[in-house]
Amino acid sequence: MAEDNNDLLLQQFFSEAAQQQIADDGFTERVMQALPQQSTFNIKLFNRLWTLFCVAVFVVLFVVFRGWELLAVHFMVMLRTVAAESFSINLLMLTTVFFGLLFVGVGEVISSETSRR
């Protein structure tokens, strides 16, 4: 209940602030017109290509380093040592997964930032 009340208060505050007009002698309009117009098609195409590139790099690295074998070994090690709560970590595989997630994450950030425009 308190969260709902806080959300309502925030929405009310920001809706009132969004309705305020600041006289700037048309400066904002001139700046917005001077900005280069980018097609949303080009932005969406770039986002799709970036995601495809990241997935392709991840798949290639997964195949090159035989990721399925590494996952199977780690799964077996984890199952056998779960009682002792210690298992080995392959740093190369961990780095590969990290960079795969990083590439996709960067693509998603770019996508979310460009979709706001």
Side-chain angles (χ1 to χ4, degrees), residues 30-68:
R30 290 191 304 271
V31 168
M32 292 303 289
Q33 290 175 358
L35 292 174
Q37 298 295 322
Q38 288 187 345
S39 167
T40 56
F41 176 76
N42 290 339
I43 293 171
K44 288 181 182 180
L45 178 64
F46 173 75
N47 289 335
R48 299 277 189 243
L49 290 175
W50 177 255
T51 303
L52 180 66
F53 170 76
C54 293
V55 169
V57 167
F58 181 76
V59 168
V60 166
L61 290 174
F62 191 79
V63 170
V64 166
F65 294 113
R66 293 186 296 205
W68 61 91

PDB file of all heavy atoms in Angstrom, residues 30-68:
ATOM      1  N   ARG A  30      14.720  25.280 -32.349  1.00  0.00           N
ATOM      2  CA  ARG A  30      15.810  25.415 -33.324  1.00  0.00           C
ATOM      3  C   ARG A  30      16.853  24.307 -33.159  1.00  0.00           C
ATOM      4  O   ARG A  30      17.354  23.765 -34.144  1.00  0.00           O
ATOM      5  CB  ARG A  30      16.481  26.784 -33.183  1.00  0.00           C
ATOM      6  CG  ARG A  30      15.594  27.941 -33.641  1.00  0.00           C
ATOM      7  CD  ARG A  30      16.364  29.244 -33.756  1.00  0.00           C
ATOM      8  NE  ARG A  30      17.056  29.639 -32.517  1.00  0.00           N
ATOM      9  CZ  ARG A  30      16.507  30.373 -31.559  1.00  0.00           C
ATOM     10  NH1 ARG A  30      15.257  30.809 -31.671  1.00  0.00           N
ATOM     11  NH2 ARG A  30      17.197  30.670 -30.476  1.00  0.00           N
ATOM     12  N   VAL A  31      17.161  23.964 -31.909  1.00  0.00           N
ATOM     13  CA  VAL A  31      18.125  22.891 -31.673  1.00  0.00           C
ATOM     14  C   VAL A  31      17.571  21.568 -32.180  1.00  0.00           C
ATOM     15  O   VAL A  31      18.278  20.793 -32.841  1.00  0.00           O
ATOM     16  CB  VAL A  31      18.486  22.792 -30.170  1.00  0.00           C
ATOM     17  CG1 VAL A  31      19.255  21.523 -29.859  1.00  0.00           C
ATOM     18  CG2 VAL A  31      19.280  24.014 -29.743  1.00  0.00           C
ATOM     19  N   MET A  32      16.314  21.279 -31.881  1.00  0.00           N
ATOM     20  CA  MET A  32      15.715  20.019 -32.319  1.00  0.00           C
ATOM     21  C   MET A  32      15.668  19.916 -33.835  1.00  0.00           C
ATOM     22  O   MET A  32      15.860  18.846 -34.402  1.00  0.00           O
ATOM     23  CB  MET A  32      14.303  19.870 -31.734  1.00  0.00           C
ATOM     24  CG  MET A  32      14.273  19.686 -30.229  1.00  0.00           C
ATOM     25  SD  MET A  32      15.236  18.278 -29.638  1.00  0.00           S
ATOM     26  CE  MET A  32      14.238  16.939 -30.213  1.00  0.00           C
ATOM     27  N   GLN A  33      15.432  21.027 -34.526  1.00  0.00           N
ATOM     28  CA  GLN A  33      15.407  21.012 -35.989  1.00  0.00           C
ATOM     29  C   GLN A  33      16.805  20.882 -36.573  1.00  0.00           C
ATOM     30  O   GLN A  33      16.976  20.352 -37.664  1.00  0.00           O
ATOM     31  CB  GLN A  33      14.724  22.270 -36.515  1.00  0.00           C
ATOM     32  CG  GLN A  33      13.235  22.276 -36.244  1.00  0.00           C
ATOM     33  CD  GLN A  33      12.569  23.575 -36.656  1.00  0.00           C
ATOM     34  OE1 GLN A  33      13.230  24.498 -37.111  1.00  0.00           O
ATOM     35  NE2 GLN A  33      11.266  23.636 -36.477  1.00  0.00           N
ATOM     36  N   ALA A  34      17.824  21.348 -35.850  1.00  0.00           N
ATOM     37  CA  ALA A  34      19.200  21.276 -36.350  1.00  0.00           C
ATOM     38  C   ALA A  34      19.812  19.889 -36.162  1.00  0.00           C
ATOM     39  O   ALA A  34      20.802  19.566 -36.814  1.00  0.00           O
ATOM     40  CB  ALA A  34      20.061  22.317 -35.642  1.00  0.00           C
ATOM     41  N   LEU A  35      19.228  19.063 -35.295  1.00  0.00           N
ATOM     42  CA  LEU A  35      19.751  17.716 -35.079  1.00  0.00           C
ATOM     43  C   LEU A  35      19.543  16.869 -36.330  1.00  0.00           C
ATOM     44  O   LEU A  35      18.517  16.995 -37.007  1.00  0.00           O
ATOM     45  CB  LEU A  35      19.064  17.051 -33.890  1.00  0.00           C
ATOM     46  CG  LEU A  35      19.360  17.635 -32.520  1.00  0.00           C
ATOM     47  CD1 LEU A  35      18.488  16.961 -31.472  1.00  0.00           C
ATOM     48  CD2 LEU A  35      20.820  17.472 -32.182  1.00  0.00           C
ATOM     49  N   PRO A  36      20.514  16.006 -36.639  1.00  0.00           N
ATOM     50  CA  PRO A  36      20.335  15.143 -37.814  1.00  0.00           C
ATOM     51  C   PRO A  36      19.199  14.148 -37.572  1.00  0.00           C
ATOM     52  O   PRO A  36      19.085  13.581 -36.487  1.00  0.00           O
ATOM     53  CB  PRO A  36      21.673  14.433 -37.950  1.00  0.00           C
ATOM     54  CG  PRO A  36      22.309  14.519 -36.611  1.00  0.00           C
ATOM     55  CD  PRO A  36      21.781  15.779 -35.978  1.00  0.00           C
ATOM     56  N   GLN A  37      18.379  13.981 -38.574  1.00  0.00           N
ATOM     57  CA  GLN A  37      17.258  13.055 -38.478  1.00  0.00           C
ATOM     58  C   GLN A  37      17.735  11.663 -38.869  1.00  0.00           C
ATOM     59  O   GLN A  37      18.257  11.466 -39.949  1.00  0.00           O
ATOM     60  CB  GLN A  37      16.122  13.494 -39.407  1.00  0.00           C
ATOM     61  CG  GLN A  37      15.547  14.841 -39.061  1.00  0.00           C
ATOM     62  CD  GLN A  37      14.872  14.838 -37.705  1.00  0.00           C
ATOM     63  OE1 GLN A  37      14.231  13.880 -37.333  1.00  0.00           O
ATOM     64  NE2 GLN A  37      15.049  15.928 -36.971  1.00  0.00           N
ATOM     65  N   GLN A  38      17.578  10.697 -37.961  1.00  0.00           N
ATOM     66  CA  GLN A  38      17.947   9.327 -38.247  1.00  0.00           C
ATOM     67  C   GLN A  38      16.674   8.503 -38.366  1.00  0.00           C
ATOM     68  O   GLN A  38      15.741   8.655 -37.597  1.00  0.00           O
ATOM     69  CB  GLN A  38      18.813   8.742 -37.141  1.00  0.00           C
ATOM     70  CG  GLN A  38      20.202   9.303 -37.111  1.00  0.00           C
ATOM     71  CD  GLN A  38      21.065   8.563 -36.094  1.00  0.00           C
ATOM     72  OE1 GLN A  38      20.564   7.842 -35.258  1.00  0.00           O
ATOM     73  NE2 GLN A  38      22.356   8.751 -36.192  1.00  0.00           N
ATOM     74  N   SER A  39      16.691   7.661 -39.339  1.00  0.00           N
ATOM     75  CA  SER A  39      15.556   6.784 -39.551  1.00  0.00           C
ATOM     76  C   SER A  39      15.512   5.722 -38.455  1.00  0.00           C
ATOM     77  O   SER A  39      16.533   5.151 -38.088  1.00  0.00           O
ATOM     78  CB  SER A  39      15.682   6.121 -40.921  1.00  0.00           C
ATOM     79  OG  SER A  39      14.777   5.068 -41.042  1.00  0.00           O
ATOM     80  N   THR A  40      14.326   5.452 -37.945  1.00  0.00           N
ATOM     81  CA  THR A  40      14.205   4.405 -36.931  1.00  0.00           C
ATOM     82  C   THR A  40      14.496   3.045 -37.551  1.00  0.00           C
ATOM     83  O   THR A  40      14.929   2.132 -36.857  1.00  0.00           O
ATOM     84  CB  THR A  40      12.806   4.401 -36.300  1.00  0.00           C
ATOM     85  OG1 THR A  40      11.827   4.253 -37.320  1.00  0.00           O
ATOM     86  CG2 THR A  40      12.566   5.670 -35.515  1.00  0.00           C
ATOM     87  N   PHE A  41      14.290   2.933 -38.864  1.00  0.00           N
ATOM     88  CA  PHE A  41      14.616   1.674 -39.546  1.00  0.00           C
ATOM     89  C   PHE A  41      16.106   1.393 -39.440  1.00  0.00           C
ATOM     90  O   PHE A  41      16.507   0.265 -39.164  1.00  0.00           O
ATOM     91  CB  PHE A  41      14.178   1.728 -41.007  1.00  0.00           C
ATOM     92  CG  PHE A  41      14.577   0.505 -41.785  1.00  0.00           C
ATOM     93  CD1 PHE A  41      13.889  -0.682 -41.625  1.00  0.00           C
ATOM     94  CD2 PHE A  41      15.659   0.543 -42.658  1.00  0.00           C
ATOM     95  CE1 PHE A  41      14.265  -1.814 -42.318  1.00  0.00           C
ATOM     96  CE2 PHE A  41      16.033  -0.576 -43.356  1.00  0.00           C
ATOM     97  CZ  PHE A  41      15.333  -1.766 -43.188  1.00  0.00           C
ATOM     98  N   ASN A  42      16.945   2.426 -39.665  1.00  0.00           N
ATOM     99  CA  ASN A  42      18.394   2.241 -39.587  1.00  0.00           C
ATOM    100  C   ASN A  42      18.829   1.863 -38.175  1.00  0.00           C
ATOM    101  O   ASN A  42      19.709   1.028 -37.983  1.00  0.00           O
ATOM    102  CB  ASN A  42      19.128   3.509 -40.027  1.00  0.00           C
ATOM    103  CG  ASN A  42      19.001   3.753 -41.507  1.00  0.00           C
ATOM    104  OD1 ASN A  42      18.723   2.833 -42.269  1.00  0.00           O
ATOM    105  ND2 ASN A  42      19.209   4.982 -41.914  1.00  0.00           N
ATOM    106  N   ILE A  43      18.221   2.477 -37.186  1.00  0.00           N
ATOM    107  CA  ILE A  43      18.575   2.180 -35.796  1.00  0.00           C
ATOM    108  C   ILE A  43      18.179   0.745 -35.454  1.00  0.00           C
ATOM    109  O   ILE A  43      18.952  -0.003 -34.850  1.00  0.00           O
ATOM    110  CB  ILE A  43      17.903   3.188 -34.846  1.00  0.00           C
ATOM    111  CG1 ILE A  43      18.496   4.574 -35.075  1.00  0.00           C
ATOM    112  CG2 ILE A  43      18.055   2.765 -33.393  1.00  0.00           C
ATOM    113  CD1 ILE A  43      17.766   5.687 -34.356  1.00  0.00           C
ATOM    114  N   LYS A  44      16.988   0.346 -35.834  1.00  0.00           N
ATOM    115  CA  LYS A  44      16.542  -1.014 -35.547  1.00  0.00           C
ATOM    116  C   LYS A  44      17.396  -2.041 -36.296  1.00  0.00           C
ATOM    117  O   LYS A  44      17.714  -3.095 -35.748  1.00  0.00           O
ATOM    118  CB  LYS A  44      15.065  -1.179 -35.917  1.00  0.00           C
ATOM    119  CG  LYS A  44      14.149  -0.465 -34.956  1.00  0.00           C
ATOM    120  CD  LYS A  44      12.700  -0.659 -35.323  1.00  0.00           C
ATOM    121  CE  LYS A  44      11.806   0.111 -34.372  1.00  0.00           C
ATOM    122  NZ  LYS A  44      10.398  -0.044 -34.685  1.00  0.00           N
ATOM    123  N   LEU A  45      17.770  -1.704 -37.534  1.00  0.00           N
ATOM    124  CA  LEU A  45      18.624  -2.602 -38.303  1.00  0.00           C
ATOM    125  C   LEU A  45      19.982  -2.745 -37.623  1.00  0.00           C
ATOM    126  O   LEU A  45      20.507  -3.858 -37.495  1.00  0.00           O
ATOM    127  CB  LEU A  45      18.799  -2.078 -39.729  1.00  0.00           C
ATOM    128  CG  LEU A  45      19.715  -2.904 -40.627  1.00  0.00           C
ATOM    129  CD1 LEU A  45      19.130  -4.288 -40.859  1.00  0.00           C
ATOM    130  CD2 LEU A  45      19.947  -2.189 -41.954  1.00  0.00           C
ATOM    131  N   PHE A  46      20.552  -1.642 -37.169  1.00  0.00           N
ATOM    132  CA  PHE A  46      21.835  -1.694 -36.463  1.00  0.00           C
ATOM    133  C   PHE A  46      21.726  -2.550 -35.209  1.00  0.00           C
ATOM    134  O   PHE A  46      22.606  -3.366 -34.915  1.00  0.00           O
ATOM    135  CB  PHE A  46      22.304  -0.284 -36.100  1.00  0.00           C
ATOM    136  CG  PHE A  46      23.526  -0.269 -35.224  1.00  0.00           C
ATOM    137  CD1 PHE A  46      24.765  -0.553 -35.743  1.00  0.00           C
ATOM    138  CD2 PHE A  46      23.404  -0.002 -33.870  1.00  0.00           C
ATOM    139  CE1 PHE A  46      25.887  -0.566 -34.936  1.00  0.00           C
ATOM    140  CE2 PHE A  46      24.518  -0.004 -33.054  1.00  0.00           C
ATOM    141  CZ  PHE A  46      25.762  -0.287 -33.592  1.00  0.00           C
ATOM    142  N   ASN A  47      20.644  -2.380 -34.455  1.00  0.00           N
ATOM    143  CA  ASN A  47      20.450  -3.163 -33.231  1.00  0.00           C
ATOM    144  C   ASN A  47      20.345  -4.647 -33.533  1.00  0.00           C
ATOM    145  O   ASN A  47      20.918  -5.482 -32.831  1.00  0.00           O
ATOM    146  CB  ASN A  47      19.212  -2.691 -32.488  1.00  0.00           C
ATOM    147  CG  ASN A  47      19.406  -1.334 -31.872  1.00  0.00           C
ATOM    148  OD1 ASN A  47      20.526  -0.935 -31.581  1.00  0.00           O
ATOM    149  ND2 ASN A  47      18.325  -0.617 -31.673  1.00  0.00           N
ATOM    150  N   ARG A  48      19.612  -4.981 -34.573  1.00  0.00           N
ATOM    151  CA  ARG A  48      19.474  -6.396 -34.952  1.00  0.00           C
ATOM    152  C   ARG A  48      20.809  -6.970 -35.402  1.00  0.00           C
ATOM    153  O   ARG A  48      21.164  -8.097 -35.049  1.00  0.00           O
ATOM    154  CB  ARG A  48      18.448  -6.551 -36.077  1.00  0.00           C
ATOM    155  CG  ARG A  48      17.070  -6.089 -35.727  1.00  0.00           C
ATOM    156  CD  ARG A  48      16.307  -7.159 -34.988  1.00  0.00           C
ATOM    157  NE  ARG A  48      14.924  -6.771 -34.845  1.00  0.00           N
ATOM    158  CZ  ARG A  48      14.337  -6.564 -33.694  1.00  0.00           C
ATOM    159  NH1 ARG A  48      15.004  -6.703 -32.592  1.00  0.00           N
ATOM    160  NH2 ARG A  48      13.073  -6.225 -33.624  1.00  0.00           N
ATOM    161  N   LEU A  49      21.563  -6.193 -36.195  1.00  0.00           N
ATOM    162  CA  LEU A  49      22.865  -6.667 -36.669  1.00  0.00           C
ATOM    163  C   LEU A  49      23.854  -6.824 -35.513  1.00  0.00           C
ATOM    164  O   LEU A  49      24.642  -7.770 -35.480  1.00  0.00           O
ATOM    165  CB  LEU A  49      23.423  -5.720 -37.736  1.00  0.00           C
ATOM    166  CG  LEU A  49      22.697  -5.736 -39.071  1.00  0.00           C
ATOM    167  CD1 LEU A  49      23.264  -4.676 -40.000  1.00  0.00           C
ATOM    168  CD2 LEU A  49      22.779  -7.110 -39.714  1.00  0.00           C
ATOM    169  N   TRP A  50      23.828  -5.899 -34.560  1.00  0.00           N
ATOM    170  CA  TRP A  50      24.719  -5.996 -33.399  1.00  0.00           C
ATOM    171  C   TRP A  50      24.394  -7.243 -32.583  1.00  0.00           C
ATOM    172  O   TRP A  50      25.292  -7.972 -32.166  1.00  0.00           O
ATOM    173  CB  TRP A  50      24.615  -4.737 -32.536  1.00  0.00           C
ATOM    174  CG  TRP A  50      25.441  -4.819 -31.302  1.00  0.00           C
ATOM    175  CD1 TRP A  50      25.017  -5.020 -30.032  1.00  0.00           C
ATOM    176  CD2 TRP A  50      26.868  -4.740 -31.218  1.00  0.00           C
ATOM    177  NE1 TRP A  50      26.083  -5.044 -29.164  1.00  0.00           N
ATOM    178  CE2 TRP A  50      27.232  -4.878 -29.863  1.00  0.00           C
ATOM    179  CE3 TRP A  50      27.873  -4.547 -32.166  1.00  0.00           C
ATOM    180  CZ2 TRP A  50      28.545  -4.848 -29.441  1.00  0.00           C
ATOM    181  CZ3 TRP A  50      29.187  -4.516 -31.735  1.00  0.00           C
ATOM    182  CH2 TRP A  50      29.511  -4.665 -30.389  1.00  0.00           C
ATOM    183  N   THR A  51      23.112  -7.492 -32.363  1.00  0.00           N
ATOM    184  CA  THR A  51      22.713  -8.683 -31.617  1.00  0.00           C
ATOM    185  C   THR A  51      23.121  -9.943 -32.364  1.00  0.00           C
ATOM    186  O   THR A  51      23.647 -10.889 -31.760  1.00  0.00           O
ATOM    187  CB  THR A  51      21.192  -8.678 -31.365  1.00  0.00           C
ATOM    188  OG1 THR A  51      20.848  -7.482 -30.668  1.00  0.00           O
ATOM    189  CG2 THR A  51      20.752  -9.882 -30.564  1.00  0.00           C
ATOM    190  N   LEU A  52      22.917  -9.962 -33.682  1.00  0.00           N
ATOM    191  CA  LEU A  52      23.316 -11.113 -34.493  1.00  0.00           C
ATOM    192  C   LEU A  52      24.822 -11.320 -34.425  1.00  0.00           C
ATOM    193  O   LEU A  52      25.295 -12.455 -34.283  1.00  0.00           O
ATOM    194  CB  LEU A  52      22.870 -10.909 -35.948  1.00  0.00           C
ATOM    195  CG  LEU A  52      23.213 -12.032 -36.905  1.00  0.00           C
ATOM    196  CD1 LEU A  52      22.442 -13.289 -36.527  1.00  0.00           C
ATOM    197  CD2 LEU A  52      22.893 -11.616 -38.330  1.00  0.00           C
ATOM    198  N   PHE A  53      25.594 -10.240 -34.492  1.00  0.00           N
ATOM    199  CA  PHE A  53      27.046 -10.339 -34.399  1.00  0.00           C
ATOM    200  C   PHE A  53      27.468 -10.921 -33.063  1.00  0.00           C
ATOM    201  O   PHE A  53      28.321 -11.817 -32.997  1.00  0.00           O
ATOM    202  CB  PHE A  53      27.678  -8.952 -34.604  1.00  0.00           C
ATOM    203  CG  PHE A  53      29.143  -8.908 -34.298  1.00  0.00           C
ATOM    204  CD1 PHE A  53      30.066  -9.439 -35.184  1.00  0.00           C
ATOM    205  CD2 PHE A  53      29.603  -8.344 -33.116  1.00  0.00           C
ATOM    206  CE1 PHE A  53      31.425  -9.417 -34.897  1.00  0.00           C
ATOM    207  CE2 PHE A  53      30.951  -8.313 -32.826  1.00  0.00           C
ATOM    208  CZ  PHE A  53      31.865  -8.846 -33.721  1.00  0.00           C
ATOM    209  N   CYS A  54      26.878 -10.436 -31.973  1.00  0.00           N
ATOM    210  CA  CYS A  54      27.230 -10.926 -30.637  1.00  0.00           C
ATOM    211  C   CYS A  54      26.893 -12.401 -30.481  1.00  0.00           C
ATOM    212  O   CYS A  54      27.696 -13.172 -29.930  1.00  0.00           O
ATOM    213  CB  CYS A  54      26.513 -10.109 -29.567  1.00  0.00           C
ATOM    214  SG  CYS A  54      27.080  -8.412 -29.473  1.00  0.00           S
ATOM    215  N   VAL A  55      25.747 -12.801 -30.974  1.00  0.00           N
ATOM    216  CA  VAL A  55      25.361 -14.207 -30.884  1.00  0.00           C
ATOM    217  C   VAL A  55      26.300 -15.062 -31.728  1.00  0.00           C
ATOM    218  O   VAL A  55      26.730 -16.140 -31.305  1.00  0.00           O
ATOM    219  CB  VAL A  55      23.886 -14.395 -31.304  1.00  0.00           C
ATOM    220  CG1 VAL A  55      23.546 -15.862 -31.483  1.00  0.00           C
ATOM    221  CG2 VAL A  55      22.971 -13.757 -30.280  1.00  0.00           C
ATOM    222  N   ALA A  56      26.658 -14.578 -32.921  1.00  0.00           N
ATOM    223  CA  ALA A  56      27.569 -15.324 -33.797  1.00  0.00           C
ATOM    224  C   ALA A  56      28.942 -15.486 -33.144  1.00  0.00           C
ATOM    225  O   ALA A  56      29.533 -16.577 -33.190  1.00  0.00           O
ATOM    226  CB  ALA A  56      27.700 -14.623 -35.142  1.00  0.00           C
ATOM    227  N   VAL A  57      29.458 -14.421 -32.539  1.00  0.00           N
ATOM    228  CA  VAL A  57      30.754 -14.504 -31.857  1.00  0.00           C
ATOM    229  C   VAL A  57      30.670 -15.509 -30.709  1.00  0.00           C
ATOM    230  O   VAL A  57      31.568 -16.341 -30.531  1.00  0.00           O
ATOM    231  CB  VAL A  57      31.201 -13.115 -31.343  1.00  0.00           C
ATOM    232  CG1 VAL A  57      32.359 -13.222 -30.370  1.00  0.00           C
ATOM    233  CG2 VAL A  57      31.573 -12.214 -32.501  1.00  0.00           C
ATOM    234  N   PHE A  58      29.593 -15.472 -29.961  1.00  0.00           N
ATOM    235  CA  PHE A  58      29.424 -16.401 -28.854  1.00  0.00           C
ATOM    236  C   PHE A  58      29.370 -17.842 -29.358  1.00  0.00           C
ATOM    237  O   PHE A  58      30.018 -18.720 -28.799  1.00  0.00           O
ATOM    238  CB  PHE A  58      28.167 -16.064 -28.056  1.00  0.00           C
ATOM    239  CG  PHE A  58      27.943 -16.976 -26.894  1.00  0.00           C
ATOM    240  CD1 PHE A  58      28.688 -16.845 -25.739  1.00  0.00           C
ATOM    241  CD2 PHE A  58      26.992 -17.984 -26.957  1.00  0.00           C
ATOM    242  CE1 PHE A  58      28.497 -17.695 -24.663  1.00  0.00           C
ATOM    243  CE2 PHE A  58      26.791 -18.834 -25.891  1.00  0.00           C
ATOM    244  CZ  PHE A  58      27.548 -18.687 -24.747  1.00  0.00           C
ATOM    245  N   VAL A  59      28.628 -18.095 -30.429  1.00  0.00           N
ATOM    246  CA  VAL A  59      28.508 -19.445 -30.975  1.00  0.00           C
ATOM    247  C   VAL A  59      29.861 -19.929 -31.484  1.00  0.00           C
ATOM    248  O   VAL A  59      30.258 -21.076 -31.239  1.00  0.00           O
ATOM    249  CB  VAL A  59      27.435 -19.498 -32.083  1.00  0.00           C
ATOM    250  CG1 VAL A  59      27.501 -20.790 -32.865  1.00  0.00           C
ATOM    251  CG2 VAL A  59      26.054 -19.318 -31.478  1.00  0.00           C
ATOM    252  N   VAL A  60      30.590 -19.069 -32.191  1.00  0.00           N
ATOM    253  CA  VAL A  60      31.907 -19.453 -32.711  1.00  0.00           C
ATOM    254  C   VAL A  60      32.846 -19.798 -31.554  1.00  0.00           C
ATOM    255  O   VAL A  60      33.528 -20.832 -31.592  1.00  0.00           O
ATOM    256  CB  VAL A  60      32.500 -18.330 -33.595  1.00  0.00           C
ATOM    257  CG1 VAL A  60      33.978 -18.550 -33.860  1.00  0.00           C
ATOM    258  CG2 VAL A  60      31.732 -18.223 -34.900  1.00  0.00           C
ATOM    259  N   LEU A  61      32.878 -18.958 -30.526  1.00  0.00           N
ATOM    260  CA  LEU A  61      33.746 -19.246 -29.383  1.00  0.00           C
ATOM    261  C   LEU A  61      33.302 -20.509 -28.643  1.00  0.00           C
ATOM    262  O   LEU A  61      34.138 -21.280 -28.173  1.00  0.00           O
ATOM    263  CB  LEU A  61      33.767 -18.048 -28.426  1.00  0.00           C
ATOM    264  CG  LEU A  61      34.489 -16.809 -28.952  1.00  0.00           C
ATOM    265  CD1 LEU A  61      34.309 -15.643 -27.987  1.00  0.00           C
ATOM    266  CD2 LEU A  61      35.958 -17.093 -29.180  1.00  0.00           C
ATOM    267  N   PHE A  62      32.003 -20.721 -28.570  1.00  0.00           N
ATOM    268  CA  PHE A  62      31.488 -21.924 -27.914  1.00  0.00           C
ATOM    269  C   PHE A  62      31.936 -23.172 -28.662  1.00  0.00           C
ATOM    270  O   PHE A  62      32.328 -24.166 -28.059  1.00  0.00           O
ATOM    271  CB  PHE A  62      29.956 -21.856 -27.841  1.00  0.00           C
ATOM    272  CG  PHE A  62      29.344 -22.907 -26.958  1.00  0.00           C
ATOM    273  CD1 PHE A  62      29.332 -22.752 -25.588  1.00  0.00           C
ATOM    274  CD2 PHE A  62      28.765 -24.032 -27.507  1.00  0.00           C
ATOM    275  CE1 PHE A  62      28.759 -23.704 -24.765  1.00  0.00           C
ATOM    276  CE2 PHE A  62      28.191 -24.994 -26.700  1.00  0.00           C
ATOM    277  CZ  PHE A  62      28.185 -24.832 -25.325  1.00  0.00           C
ATOM    278  N   VAL A  63      31.911 -23.108 -30.005  1.00  0.00           N
ATOM    279  CA  VAL A  63      32.327 -24.261 -30.822  1.00  0.00           C
ATOM    280  C   VAL A  63      33.842 -24.419 -30.782  1.00  0.00           C
ATOM    281  O   VAL A  63      34.356 -25.532 -30.632  1.00  0.00           O
ATOM    282  CB  VAL A  63      31.815 -24.115 -32.269  1.00  0.00           C
ATOM    283  CG1 VAL A  63      32.433 -25.154 -33.187  1.00  0.00           C
ATOM    284  CG2 VAL A  63      30.300 -24.215 -32.302  1.00  0.00           C
ATOM    285  N   VAL A  64      34.586 -23.317 -30.916  1.00  0.00           N
ATOM    286  CA  VAL A  64      36.047 -23.394 -30.929  1.00  0.00           C
ATOM    287  C   VAL A  64      36.581 -23.995 -29.633  1.00  0.00           C
ATOM    288  O   VAL A  64      37.487 -24.832 -29.648  1.00  0.00           O
ATOM    289  CB  VAL A  64      36.664 -21.990 -31.182  1.00  0.00           C
ATOM    290  CG1 VAL A  64      38.144 -21.967 -30.866  1.00  0.00           C
ATOM    291  CG2 VAL A  64      36.411 -21.556 -32.613  1.00  0.00           C
ATOM    292  N   PHE A  65      36.029 -23.576 -28.517  1.00  0.00           N
ATOM    293  CA  PHE A  65      36.499 -24.070 -27.225  1.00  0.00           C
ATOM    294  C   PHE A  65      35.708 -25.277 -26.730  1.00  0.00           C
ATOM    295  O   PHE A  65      35.843 -25.672 -25.577  1.00  0.00           O
ATOM    296  CB  PHE A  65      36.466 -22.950 -26.179  1.00  0.00           C
ATOM    297  CG  PHE A  65      37.421 -21.842 -26.472  1.00  0.00           C
ATOM    298  CD1 PHE A  65      36.968 -20.582 -26.808  1.00  0.00           C
ATOM    299  CD2 PHE A  65      38.781 -22.070 -26.421  1.00  0.00           C
ATOM    300  CE1 PHE A  65      37.843 -19.564 -27.074  1.00  0.00           C
ATOM    301  CE2 PHE A  65      39.674 -21.051 -26.691  1.00  0.00           C
ATOM    302  CZ  PHE A  65      39.211 -19.798 -27.019  1.00  0.00           C
ATOM    303  N   ARG A  66      34.915 -25.864 -27.596  1.00  0.00           N
ATOM    304  CA  ARG A  66      34.092 -27.041 -27.283  1.00  0.00           C
ATOM    305  C   ARG A  66      33.365 -26.847 -25.952  1.00  0.00           C
ATOM    306  O   ARG A  66      33.539 -27.593 -24.986  1.00  0.00           O
ATOM    307  CB  ARG A  66      34.952 -28.298 -27.261  1.00  0.00           C
ATOM    308  CG  ARG A  66      35.484 -28.641 -28.638  1.00  0.00           C
ATOM    309  CD  ARG A  66      36.186 -29.931 -28.644  1.00  0.00           C
ATOM    310  NE  ARG A  66      37.366 -29.880 -27.790  1.00  0.00           N
ATOM    311  CZ  ARG A  66      38.405 -30.665 -27.947  1.00  0.00           C
ATOM    312  NH1 ARG A  66      38.406 -31.561 -28.886  1.00  0.00           N
ATOM    313  NH2 ARG A  66      39.429 -30.575 -27.136  1.00  0.00           N
ATOM    314  N   GLY A  67      32.550 -25.827 -25.947  1.00  0.00           N
ATOM    315  CA  GLY A  67      31.846 -25.430 -24.738  1.00  0.00           C
ATOM    316  C   GLY A  67      30.949 -26.504 -24.164  1.00  0.00           C
ATOM    317  O   GLY A  67      30.779 -26.586 -22.947  1.00  0.00           O
ATOM    318  N   TRP A  68      30.381 -27.349 -25.021  1.00  0.00           N
ATOM    319  CA  TRP A  68      29.494 -28.400 -24.522  1.00  0.00           C
ATOM    320  C   TRP A  68      30.276 -29.374 -23.642  1.00  0.00           C
ATOM    321  O   TRP A  68      29.749 -29.850 -22.650  1.00  0.00           O
ATOM    322  CB  TRP A  68      28.800 -29.115 -25.684  1.00  0.00           C
ATOM    323  CG  TRP A  68      29.754 -29.785 -26.636  1.00  0.00           C
ATOM    324  CD1 TRP A  68      30.220 -31.059 -26.581  1.00  0.00           C
ATOM    325  CD2 TRP A  68      30.374 -29.177 -27.767  1.00  0.00           C
ATOM    326  NE1 TRP A  68      31.094 -31.285 -27.597  1.00  0.00           N
ATOM    327  CE2 TRP A  68      31.205 -30.162 -28.358  1.00  0.00           C
ATOM    328  CE3 TRP A  68      30.316 -27.931 -28.356  1.00  0.00           C
ATOM    329  CZ2 TRP A  68      31.966 -29.910 -29.486  1.00  0.00           C
ATOM    330  CZ3 TRP A  68      31.058 -27.686 -29.487  1.00  0.00           C
ATOM    331  CH2 TRP A  68      31.879 -28.670 -30.045  1.00  0.00           C
TER     332      TRP A  68
END
